[in-house]
Amino acid sequence: MSGYSFFQRASRAFNDYPHLPKLLVLFTVSGGGLATVCHTAFADAGQDDIINKKKIVVLGTGWAGTSFLKNLKDPSYSVQVVSPRNYFAFTPLLPSVTCGTVEARSIVEPIRNIVKKKNFDVDFKEAECFKIDTVNKKVHCKTTQPNHLGGGIEEFTVDYDYLVIAMGARANTFNTPGVVENAHFLKEVEDAQKIRRTVIDCFEKASLPSISEAERKRILHFVVVGGGPVGVEFAAELHDFVKEDLAKLYPALKEYVSITLLEAGDNILNMFDKRITAFAEEKFARDGIELKTGSMVVKVSDREISTKERSTGQTVTIPYGMCVWATGIGSRPVVMDFMKQIGQTNRRILATDEWLRVEGCKEIYALGDCATVNQRSVMEDISIIFSKADKNNSGTLRVEDFKEVIQDICERYPQVELYLKKKQLKNFNALLKNSEEVAEINIEKFKKLLAEVDSQMKNLPATAQVAAQQGSYLADCFNRLQICEANPEGPLRFRGTGRHRFHPFRYRHLGQFAPLGGEQTAAQLPGDWVSIGHSTQWLWYSVYASKLVSWRTRVLVVSDWIRRSTFGRDSSRI
């Protein structure tokens, strides 16, 4: 029998008996016909398996996106990652990169190194998303590779069943004239490397014999705009770099160096405990870092910064050599276009519900700095909450009637728990009993009782800690999606029947650090515990080393710290 004849009979067999297992025994036949049948059968089976998988598209490889990828374990998904950078960067150490305390490559981990450890395929594309099409469930992307590679910018689309937006944010200039053209930002690894080169350029330029004293002072005047953690840490790093390393290499220039920190508010580090703020301001004063609070930047030119002083209302001009802008974050253009598309035009940042799902989009999630959780207010649902507890429709409730919904109320509306803590009440029952000495509560008294609860609602801070926890939470939801579809575990649906599939996201604050230079760090940990000094610096070392994404980066960063303490920081312009 010829190979062609066998191919015909095999094809008829598969068509006539579709239930027949697609398993063939290989024989040596002329023409390779049988091998072709086997290849086609198995290729079709593999293709069907891929088609049946739900497609998850992840936009971004920052803290939120990488945390999601690391914790996703269910192999029933097909994952596509799109990001303009093919690595994850440990951003809390970016200020250290600006001054050579830590090298840039030490804090990055290639994203392919992370996803290759998964037990399922994860496809990565180094590209930038420029449009999200919610109607057709497509993401429009364009390549970011240099044009000299040939072919120009290539555009392509990626289909999704679930979309995870974790694109981070950009620096917020508040539309201040001249900032984009003249200031340095500190959001990316490339920003830190650029700052490092500029610092060295300033010293090399100032050391030229043709430079006047006035010009030398201007060139070596470093201005930091923003008194938050990033601005404060960079100012401290820069001071240490100048004092411990550059002063020895450029001894004739050390008297000309000055550092100024501009803050529009009354204090720096206003999100920290007042004890930390006071210590930081005193330390900066001792170190010679000029701190100007109540100074709002209104214009930045290539040589001067104009500020409006709140105390006097006057505009002051400050000459500078390098300006670093560290004043907050804003939405990326693609996110802003997406917000217009889905009707969130009156918001500054993308809004999600407590399950990190974009409001108005059932299968799109947003994590990290590009979004914020829009917590539902109690007063908006007050009547529905009351009716859920009032099962016999009497119009009044006893304390005992709330027993079945108390836990759901506290979980669905976390501001209730914060309000109880503020009022020093043990639980929700205590709040009800504390209102009035009455046996029953009607709807009006219930509204009056909870009238101040919503004042405790707060937006989550835009930190790496929040983004990482959100990524881990969402991955866990996807891992248990089928289980929770059958057995919902979340709180009661006050607007509707049954329970929510998952418990809502709850941020757990693990503390925060503020390195202040001179091997001194301030820490504010849970339980209102504040620690400041050299011992806290060692705690900072250990925590940051443990939070690095891989053993490779841990070894590199620790070796950089040892190198810096032994040989000093590298001042070469690379």
Side-chain angles (χ1 to χ4, degrees):
M1 182 171 56
S2 68
Y4 179 73
S5 175
F6 182 87
F7 178 84
Q8 285 183 317
R9 294 190 181 185
S11 298
R12 284 199 300 270
F14 282 122
N15 292 332
D16 295 340
Y17 303 98
H19 61 279
L20 192 67
K22 294 188 177 182
L23 177 64
L24 298 178
V25 181
L26 285 174
F27 295 97
T28 303
V29 295
S30 63
L34 180 58
T36 303
V37 175
C38 289
H39 173 77
T40 303
F42 283 109
D44 290 345
Q47 188 68 24
D48 290 341
D49 184 55
I50 293 173
I51 292 173
N52 291 332
K53 288 186 176 182
K54 290 286 188 178
K55 298 177 183 177
I56 301 177
V57 174
V58 182
L59 302 179
T61 53
W63 280 94
T66 301
S67 177
F68 175 78
L69 292 171
K70 287 185 67 178
N71 289 280
L72 187 66
K73 296 180 175 63
D74 191 344
S76 64
Y77 298 109
S78 173
V79 182
Q80 175 87 62
V81 184
V82 178
S83 175
R85 26 176 234 190
N86 68 347
Y87 58 84
F88 164 77
F90 192 83
T91 52
L93 285 177
L94 282 180
S96 297
V97 174
T98 62
C99 299
T101 305
V102 172
E103 293 300 322
R105 287 191 178 277
S106 300
I107 69 166
V108 301
E109 182 73 13
I111 200 67
R112 296 183 189 275
N113 281 359
I114 296 173
V115 300
K116 74 179 182 181
K117 302 173 184 177
K118 309 304 293 184
N119 62 345
F120 52 90
D121 291 335
V122 179
D123 188 25
F124 173 77
K125 293 289 185 291
E126 188 180 67
E128 181 181 7
C129 169
F130 65 89
K131 182 182 178 182
I132 299 171
D133 183 357
T134 58
V135 176
N136 299 306
K137 287 192 171 183
K138 292 180 181 293
V139 174
H140 296 262
C141 309
K142 60 183 178 181
T143 56
T144 57
Q145 287 77 26
N147 289 332
H148 67 76
L149 295 177
I153 297 176
E154 179 184 348
E155 295 186 2
F156 60 94
T157 61
V158 180
D159 298 328
Y160 69 84
D161 293 305
Y162 299 104
L163 179 63
V164 178
I165 304 174
M167 305 172 70
R170 61 177 177 174
N172 193 349
T173 65
F174 302 99
N175 297 320
T176 306
V179 173
V180 174
E181 297 82 2
N182 302 300
H184 290 69
F185 301 108
L186 192 47
K187 290 289 293 177
E188 307 287 348
V189 173
E190 292 81 3
D191 296 335
Q193 292 174 314
K194 186 178 178 181
I195 290 173
R196 180 175 175 177
R197 288 192 294 268
T198 304
V199 170
I200 302 303
D201 285 345
C202 288
F203 274 83
E204 293 294 348
K205 178 74 172 178
S207 64
L208 296 177
S210 59
I211 303 298
S212 65
E213 284 205 8
E215 182 69 359
R216 194 169 282 123
K217 287 182 179 179
R218 181 192 69 80
I219 293 172
L220 294 178
H221 183 199
F222 301 96
V223 177
V224 183
V225 182
V230 175
V232 168
E233 186 173 351
F234 170 70
E237 280 278 359
L238 181 60
H239 172 267
D240 287 353
F241 187 29
V242 171
K243 179 182 177 182
E244 298 172 7
D245 300 280
L246 297 181
K248 299 174 184 177
L249 299 175
Y250 305 87
L253 299 179
K254 60 182 181 181
E255 61 182 288
Y256 298 100
V257 180
S258 59
I259 302 172
T260 300
L261 181 62
L262 303 178
E263 168 57 38
D266 295 326
N267 301 100
I268 61 173
L269 299 176
N270 54 21
M271 70 291 298
F272 282 79
D273 187 276
K274 291 182 179 179
R275 291 168 287 180
I276 293 177
T277 298
F279 179 85
E281 292 177 351
E282 291 171 6
K283 186 179 185 305
F284 276 17
R286 293 195 304 269
D287 290 343
I289 299 175
E290 185 179 4
L291 178 61
K292 297 185 69 174
T293 57
S295 297
M296 185 177 67
V297 177
V298 294
K299 184 181 179 182
V300 179
S301 70
D302 60 341
R303 300 168 66 91
E304 295 177 333
I305 294 176
S306 300
T307 65
K308 185 176 182 180
E309 303 301 311
R310 189 175 56 195
S311 58
T312 62
Q314 296 179 340
T315 300
V316 178
T317 301
I318 304 172
Y320 76 94
M322 185 184 78
C323 171
V324 174
W325 190 271
T327 61
I329 60 173
S331 296
R332 297 186 184 276
V334 61
V335 175
M336 295 174 68
D337 291 341
F338 175 61
M339 290 168 64
K340 292 177 182 178
Q341 183 186 154
I342 62 176
Q344 293 191 17
T345 53
N346 60 338
R347 298 191 58 86
R348 181 181 59 85
I349 195 169
L350 190 60
T352 73
D353 61 19
E354 297 90 324
W355 291 270
L356 309 184
R357 185 174 49 197
V358 175
E359 291 187 343
C361 301
K362 186 178 179 181
E363 292 163 339
I364 301 180
Y365 300 83
L367 324 174
D369 294 352
C370 69
T372 184
V373 176
N374 190 21
Q375 177 61 50
R376 183 183 288 276
S377 67
V378 172
M379 297 308 294
E380 188 178 349
D381 295 340
I382 193 78
S383 299
I384 299 172
I385 295 172
F386 190 87
S387 63
K388 284 282 186 180
D390 186 16
K391 292 186 177 180
N392 57 6
N393 297 320
S394 64
T396 58
L397 293 172
R398 294 178 178 271
V399 174
E400 292 75 15
D401 295 328
F402 283 96
K403 284 184 178 180
E404 293 186 17
V405 296
I406 283 176
Q407 185 175 350
D408 296 303
I409 291 173
C410 291
E411 184 174 13
R412 187 68 179 81
Y413 308 93
Q415 60 266 40
V416 173
E417 189 174 344
L418 293 173
Y419 182 75
L420 295 176
K421 185 177 180 181
K422 180 183 177 182
K423 293 292 185 180
Q424 297 182 339
L425 297 172
K426 187 176 180 180
N427 51 37
F428 193 75
N429 277 340
L431 174 66
L432 297 173
K433 293 178 179 178
N434 194 48
S435 59
E436 292 181 23
E437 292 299 326
V438 293
E440 296 181 337
I441 298 174
N442 60 25
I443 183 65
E444 294 304 322
K445 289 180 180 177
F446 190 55
K447 287 181 179 179
K448 183 178 179 182
L449 193 63
L450 299 179
E452 298 180 13
V453 169
D454 288 330
S455 64
Q456 301 302 306
M457 290 196 298
K458 297 179 181 179
N459 289 330
L460 294 175
T463 63
Q465 192 176 160
V466 171
Q469 290 185 29
Q470 287 180 333
S472 177
Y473 164 82
L474 187 61
D476 184 58
C477 290
F478 274 99
N479 291 336
R480 298 183 300 109
L481 185 60
Q482 293 182 355
I483 297 173
C484 293
E485 283 279 8
N487 301 291
E489 63 181 19
L492 279 173
R493 295 180 182 270
F494 289 109
R495 290 181 175 269
T497 58
R499 291 187 170 273
H500 290 277
R501 288 184 299 181
F502 309 105
H503 295 293
F505 171 74
R506 289 291 174 266
Y507 169 59
R508 183 186 175 197
H509 185 60
L510 302 176
Q512 52 191 345
F513 291 94
L516 302 174
E519 292 293 303
Q520 294 191 67
T521 293
Q524 183 174 338
L525 303 177
D528 197 31
W529 184 54
V530 171
S531 176
I532 304 172
H534 295 284
S535 60
T536 312
Q537 178 74 21
W538 286 100
L539 178 63
W540 179 83
Y541 282 138
S542 61
V543 170
Y544 273 34
S546 67
K547 293 297 182 182
L548 286 161
V549 73
S550 69
W551 278 106
R552 184 188 72 86
T553 53
R554 290 188 189 105
V555 171
L556 289 174
V557 167
V558 171
S559 64
D560 284 345
W561 286 335
I562 295 172
R563 171 191 52 78
R564 190 267 305 171
S565 63
T566 307
F567 303 107
R569 298 169 181 84
D570 182 18
S571 61
S572 56
R573 192 192 178 281
I574 55 174

